[in-house]
Amino acid sequence: MATPDYDIKSTCTFLWKIENVNYLWLKTSRKIESPVFVVDELENTEWVMHLYPRGCSTADKIGFYLHRKDDGSGTDDIDVYFELAFLSKCGDNLCSSRSVKLTFSKGSSWGFDAFASFTVLSSKQYLPFNILTARCKIWRYDRKVAVGKCFLAGTRVAVQRRSFYWEIENFNTIGCNDTKHLAIRSIRNEILVKFDLNLTSEGRIEIGIHVFDPNKKYLFFKTYITDYKGCSRNIGAKEFVWDDCEKAGTLTLTLSKSELERCVTRKADRINLMGDVLTLYCECIFSTRIVSETIETIDFGIDSLNITIPAVLNVDELPTNGVVKVGGLPTDDAFSLREDLGSLCSQDVLSDMKLRTNTTTIPVHTQILGARSSVFKAMFSNDMKEKSQGCVDVTDVDDETVRRMLLYMYTDKLEDLPWENVCQLHVAADKYDVASLRSKCTAILQAKLSPTNACQILSLADMHQDKALKKTVQEYIIVQRKTIFSSEEWKSLMDTNLRLAAETMHLNWNKD
């Protein structure tokens, strides 16, 4: 058998960034699948990567496979060889494995059952900011057609974090028959999680955890105590993964009751036990579902709009989400603020104004809306009818867009949305002058540009005088002119806005 030439420059490269991979709820033999990438030069076949983060057959090894979908192409078998790799934040191979010539039929998979040790998922080399970057390179075995293409894909796991202090009163006199309770409740006062602290007959401290929220599939629970210097000490951490079974589990603290009591008097590791009250600092990290999947294609040798093909997505530039450490304890003040303000959003609690859409009425708070929007600020500061009536009519924006705009105004959160929904949100942000939301919508639309939507986004930018977005779209259209100028979308633009089409064509003429 001939040795594959891995030095061939013409390859199909697939980069897959998985955010919050450590918080996947998958058990052994369960996989996460990448977005689908379609390779024209491989007979229009469809491919995905399969990752088994907790092992395909054994829990201590990560499984990694290339899978050909049971696609609609007419090709039954195709011969390729490939390389799978995990990358560092600088794009270096941290571990990789290569195949010999393999035949992929429809629906078949080839890969490595023990690609890497499970311990790599706890390494900052592999997971800066808890992002794993996996790469697959594919070569045609027959070399008949050059495969010059790169796919950049992303998958993000939804994560919710909650932290709280739990004061255990009468700790010195607690016995085996005593139970201390604490509950996390929703804004509707429903119990989401219940914690029960018990003392075993051996004097060990156990915390029973019951999760009632059906959406939560994974929990990483940590608890700390604080010494007399204000420094924290981890006394228990455990992860729980649930399928559809009862969501319950138990964490046993690393220190027994007698050991904790001795720490009160021992100066070297003295803890605070004020007034017979033990205070635990607890952190919960929940994951619920995959909230977004994205993919884009870059053809080698084709001019693009300031796009370079990175070895790996640059995580050094990612924000740290405002996480700092105080007294050794990780905190996220911005997250807490967003959670607290988000609990007010759409809830009739302390509200002093209403937004009336076509189908519903939403309670809001003038102080928050006025701080985020100059239009609302003018309404509520002056003697306008909206102020006197206590209601603002928002009938030219659909209900879902209003809800998304309010969510952003209260929490600074912006959901991952299709470009069409981002356009609607851009219109609302422009009308009510929510400047930061408008800027974020502009950035998202720039990132989501494609030959099929460029004309619609150009019309939006022109109508709402978004100069930055308009300039970007026009430059993109010039780069993709062969595809776009012959499209039905461009013909429609010439019918509806001949001035804008002529202006863009003039830019193309000047460029040439």
Side-chain angles (χ1 to χ4, degrees):
M1 179 182 294
T3 302
D5 181 5
Y6 291 101
D7 293 325
I8 297 176
K9 294 183 179 180
S10 179
T11 64
C12 174
T13 301
F14 187 68
L15 286 175
W16 181 23
K17 181 186 73 170
I18 311 171
E19 297 184 46
N20 297 322
V21 65
N22 260 336
Y23 304 132
L24 280 167
W25 53 87
L26 304 174
K27 295 184 177 180
T28 301
S29 78
R30 303 288 295 275
K31 67 178 181 293
I32 178 175
E33 183 175 285
S34 74
V36 178
F37 55 108
V38 182
V39 187
D40 301 340
E41 295 83 356
L42 295 178
E43 285 72 55
N44 293 312
T45 48
E46 299 179 358
W47 303 80
V48 293
M49 286 191 281
H50 286 167
L51 189 71
Y52 295 81
R54 300 181 188 275
C56 186
S57 57
T58 58
D60 60 339
K61 298 291 183 181
I62 300 172
F64 195 10
Y65 287 82
L66 176 64
H67 174 77
R68 179 187 169 188
K69 302 282 284 186
D70 189 3
D71 48 58
S73 68
T75 304
D76 291 329
D77 296 327
I78 187 166
D79 295 332
V80 300
Y81 50 102
F82 62 87
E83 176 191 75
L84 299 177
F86 288 162
L87 305 183
S88 73
K89 62 181 181 180
C90 299
D92 299 327
N93 274 16
L94 292 173
C95 62
S96 62
S97 295
R98 292 172 169 177
S99 75
V100 295
K101 171 188 173 184
L102 292 170
T103 300
F104 280 83
S105 56
K106 294 181 180 181
S108 63
S109 299
W110 292 97
F112 308 96
D113 195 26
F115 178 76
S117 171
F118 180 71
T119 56
V120 304
L121 295 184
S122 60
S123 166
K124 291 183 178 179
Q125 260 191 316
Y126 287 80
L127 295 180
F129 303 103
N130 199 17
I131 298 172
L132 175 67
T133 300
R135 185 186 68 192
C136 175
K137 287 185 174 182
I138 305 176
W139 294 265
R140 282 189 71 110
Y141 194 77
D142 56 20
R143 305 191 195 179
K144 289 181 180 179
V145 180
V147 184
K149 188 162 289 188
C150 178
F151 296 85
L152 308 178
T155 298
R156 183 163 64 89
V157 178
V159 171
Q160 298 174 354
R161 291 176 171 86
R162 289 180 178 265
S163 58
F164 54 89
Y165 286 97
W166 187 1
E167 295 182 345
I168 312 298
E169 298 181 351
N170 303 318
F171 178 72
N172 285 331
T173 57
I174 190 173
C176 296
N177 296 323
D178 299 324
T179 302
K180 303 293 183 179
H181 306 285
L182 184 139
I184 295 177
R185 297 177 179 270
S186 69
I187 56 178
R188 297 180 180 85
N189 207 34
E190 301 166 331
I191 296 179
L192 301 177
V193 188
K194 187 177 74 169
F195 301 91
D196 300 316
L197 185 144
N198 298 283
L199 193 66
T200 68
S201 57
E202 294 82 16
R204 309 301 304 184
I205 301 173
E206 292 184 343
I207 299 178
I209 303 168
H210 295 78
V211 177
F212 299 98
D213 187 340
N215 296 318
K216 290 179 170 52
K217 301 180 179 181
Y218 170 97
L219 166 64
F220 184 48
F221 181 69
K222 297 185 289 185
T223 185
Y224 303 83
I225 55 173
T226 306
D227 65 19
Y228 74 104
K229 294 181 179 179
C231 297
S232 64
R233 179 178 175 182
N234 187 341
I235 59 169
K238 189 174 181 179
E239 64 176 4
F240 304 89
V241 182
W242 299 290
D243 290 323
D244 295 325
C245 58
E246 180 186 5
K247 298 175 183 179
T250 301
L251 168 66
T252 302
L253 302 189
T254 57
L255 296 179
S256 66
K257 181 174 182 287
S258 59
E259 288 171 329
L260 281 172
E261 289 172 336
R262 284 198 296 270
C263 286
V264 175
T265 57
R266 195 164 55 224
K267 185 175 181 180
D269 53 1
R270 186 186 303 165
I271 65 169
N272 287 328
L273 188 60
M274 304 298 293
D276 198 19
V277 176
L278 173 68
T279 301
L280 301 178
Y281 176 82
C282 303
E283 281 190 335
C284 298
I285 302 176
F286 298 99
S287 67
T288 54
R289 59 193 174 92
I290 293 174
V291 291
S292 68
E293 290 187 314
T294 59
I295 186 168
E296 64 175 295
T297 306
I298 300 174
D299 294 302
F300 297 162
I302 296 178
D303 291 336
S304 59
L305 189 63
N306 297 323
I307 293 176
T308 57
I309 300 171
V312 62
L313 305 180
N314 188 356
V315 296
D316 284 334
E317 298 177 0
L318 292 176
T320 57
N321 299 322
V323 178
V324 296
K325 291 195 174 184
V326 178
L329 290 174
T331 64
D332 184 355
D333 292 336
F335 178 81
S336 300
L337 179 62
R338 289 193 296 268
E339 288 289 294
D340 293 340
L341 292 180
S343 67
L344 296 176
C345 185
S346 300
Q347 296 297 314
D348 201 0
V349 178
L350 303 176
S351 63
D352 54 354
M353 184 63 63
K354 295 184 185 297
L355 296 188
R356 185 165 54 206
T357 69
N358 288 314
T359 60
T360 189
T361 301
I362 306 172
V364 295
H365 305 77
T366 57
Q367 299 275 2
I368 294 177
L369 268 61
R372 301 288 271 169
S373 159
S374 63
V375 174
F376 283 124
K377 182 179 181 180
M379 283 185 189
F380 305 144
S381 300
N382 303 316
D383 292 329
M384 301 178 69
K385 67 174 183 178
E386 289 85 1
K387 181 178 179 181
S388 59
Q389 293 176 354
C391 186
V392 179
D393 288 322
V394 189
T395 55
D396 56 346
V397 181
D398 68 87
D399 291 7
E400 195 61 25
T401 300
V402 172
R403 184 195 68 78
R404 289 170 179 145
M405 181 176 69
L406 287 175
L407 177 67
Y408 178 82
M409 295 173 77
Y410 276 78
T411 68
D412 219 40
K413 292 179 181 178
L414 186 56
E415 299 170 334
D416 185 70
L417 301 169
W419 71 268
E420 298 91 343
N421 298 118
V422 180
C423 287
Q424 296 168 1
L425 201 54
H426 184 284
V427 171
D430 183 61
K431 176 181 178 181
Y432 293 101
D433 193 26
V434 187
S436 60
L437 176 58
R438 185 176 185 266
S439 297
K440 289 185 179 180
C441 289
T442 294
I444 293 172
L445 290 173
Q446 288 172 333
K448 290 180 178 285
L449 276 173
S450 71
T452 57
N453 66 22
C455 294
Q456 294 95 316
I457 296 177
L458 178 61
S459 296
L460 172 79
D462 183 65
M463 182 181 300
H464 293 275
Q465 299 180 10
D466 189 334
K467 294 181 180 179
L469 180 58
K470 181 178 178 180
K471 182 176 184 291
T472 299
V473 180
Q474 287 180 323
E475 290 177 352
Y476 177 84
I477 289 174
I478 292 171
V479 170
Q480 300 288 340
R481 56 187 177 274
K482 290 184 179 180
T483 301
I484 294 178
F485 287 166
S486 61
S487 68
E488 291 298 321
E489 289 81 7
W490 183 257
K491 294 177 183 178
S492 176
L493 177 65
M494 291 193 296
D495 290 338
T496 58
N497 196 334
L498 185 58
R499 176 197 58 78
L500 182 59
E503 177 187 325
T504 306
M505 290 286 288
H506 182 67
L507 291 174
N508 176 59
W509 182 80
N510 284 340
K511 183 180 188 319
D512 295 335

